[in-house]
Amino acid sequence: MAHGTDDPTWTGPVSALAEELKKRFSCPVALGYLEATKPDIPGAVDELNSRGVNRIIAVPLFISSYSNHIEEIRYILGLKDTPPGGENLVKADPAGEVELTRAIDDNPFLVETLAEQIVAMLDATTGFTNIFSRKTAILAMHGSDTPEGMEGWERATNSLEGRLYRTLSAQGWGFERDDIRHGYLFEKADPQLGDVVYHAIFNEGKIPYVIPVMLSEGYFTGSKIPSILKPVENMYRYPEKGKRSLITFDKKALTKMVVYRAANSLWMPPLILKNGRIVEFSLDRVYEISGEICPGRIMAWRAASYGLAKLWGDTVVNPSDLFVVSMFPPEAEHKELFDWLAGVDNVAYIGQSYRGMAEITPTFSFIDRATGRFITVRTKKDIFGGDEFFELKNKAQAGKITREEGARLKRLKEELLLKLMTTPPDMLFDVVSASL
């Protein structure tokens, strides 16, 4: 679901994104706009009804879950009884359950994209000397015109900043935590973008790198932000035209953001008993545990979700009853996930080295210690794109990969990442052996 406009330069990329998602997911996908253009949200729901859909996962293509429009969407989908602000909105008529996911908010792939934008700007100015310069990254956000909305914006934005700081620090770019800031464009929102930028320049002597956090380029990125900062136009850095929004900077990044939100709800997460509480082992939990989303971690999450569902169904899993065996070596990317899931003493990593990775490596066993039942699953070879992936991965581990091969491996990893989030479990894994 997107806002909508009569400008085809905005709706065109959104429609293209929807078409890509239709190719990636095996379940039906429909696009609905909130206003100004067709198809609208009720029309998208009607399309899904006609295809026999009885559970809809609605993903809002908005920067913030606290956008003024999210409550309108909730009403349209039947998740809210009264229309906000007396709006004259047409309600949809879904045939079954509707789940509204969070908007982009502090999505891991937004963090990744913002880090890439900032690094690209640093490289474009003075390169790695920026590690030692006095700089600050300032996120330019819409904000809300209500106190309740602003409270939500602040929570999500502070989380986003913390995640972005950890990512940039891990890359060695020399940012302090308070060097990652934000400013809002709505007049009633605090802090105001202009105030934050002026303070950095005149009170701290820093160079602000201003990053618009917006879906598409247009009035805000081309006119509003530059006009606010006109008095200091030569004293801050700003992305060049064509790199000022998520859609124009990296179309694939926006695909990953939407897929992430959908996958977090689509593949029912197992329920785990942790410290006396029942928690979901969701994709959000994976990021919370590891601080990064990568193919190895998503693979382990999908394998565990599949294996635990086969053993425990929809009942709560007690980690003391679970034992996990991974064919990966102990330094596997997913180690912290399985250690969290079952406990450090209840996981065995039996692979010898990443340098000999083969199609047998992505194999996982899940054992119910209380009953002796088990299941062993292996990720299907074609999910990786064939032998080429393993060959390039092993070259990279041995330090013998060329620049061109490295770029090819990066593309294969990105494709693998999307396949792991969108492929149904029976198409993703082979059951090697089981006693159920």
Side-chain angles (χ1 to χ4, degrees), residues 28-178:
V29 174
L31 169 65
Y33 291 103
L34 179 61
E35 59 184 50
T37 190
K38 297 290 185 178
D40 58 15
I41 294 173
V45 170
D46 289 343
E47 178 187 339
L48 296 176
N49 288 343
S50 71
R51 300 181 66 179
V53 172
N54 57 18
R55 178 177 177 239
I56 294 175
I57 297 170
V59 182
L61 195 58
F62 290 77
I63 293 296
S64 174
S65 295
Y66 308 94
S67 161
N68 299 346
H69 298 299
I70 295 297
E71 291 306 305
E72 296 175 347
I73 291 173
R74 287 175 57 81
Y75 173 77
I76 292 171
L77 293 175
L79 302 175
K80 182 182 175 74
D81 292 331
T82 56
E87 292 282 348
N88 184 23
L89 302 170
V90 178
K91 295 191 74 169
D93 185 23
E97 173 190 356
V98 176
E99 178 182 346
L100 179 63
T101 75
R102 295 172 62 198
I104 293 175
D105 289 336
D106 54 359
N107 191 300
F109 295 111
L110 174 59
V111 176
E112 177 183 281
T113 302
L114 291 175
E116 290 176 0
Q117 284 184 285
I118 292 168
V119 170
M121 290 173 67
L122 293 173
D123 280 342
T125 52
T126 56
F128 279 91
T129 59
N130 276 280
I131 294 175
F132 308 104
S133 69
R134 293 177 57 80
K135 61 191 178 298
T136 181
I138 301 176
L139 308 180
M141 320 280 282
H142 282 293
S144 172
D145 57 4
T146 68
E148 299 79 13
M150 278 309 307
E151 185 178 341
W153 270 90
E154 279 290 279
R155 274 199 310 272
T157 303
N158 286 329
S159 174
L160 174 63
E161 287 179 351
R163 293 177 172 188
L164 182 56
Y165 163 68
R166 289 190 291 273
T167 298
L168 290 169
S169 294
Q171 296 175 4
W173 281 98
F175 282 93
E176 299 294 335
R177 173 59 185 89
D178 65 357

Side-chain angles (χ1 to χ4, degrees), residues 325-328 359-365 376-379 432:
V325 180
S326 170
M327 285 288 288
F328 281 86
E359 63 180 278
I360 194 175
T361 306
T363 303
F364 311 93
S365 295
T376 300
V377 301
R378 179 177 300 146
T379 310
V432 179

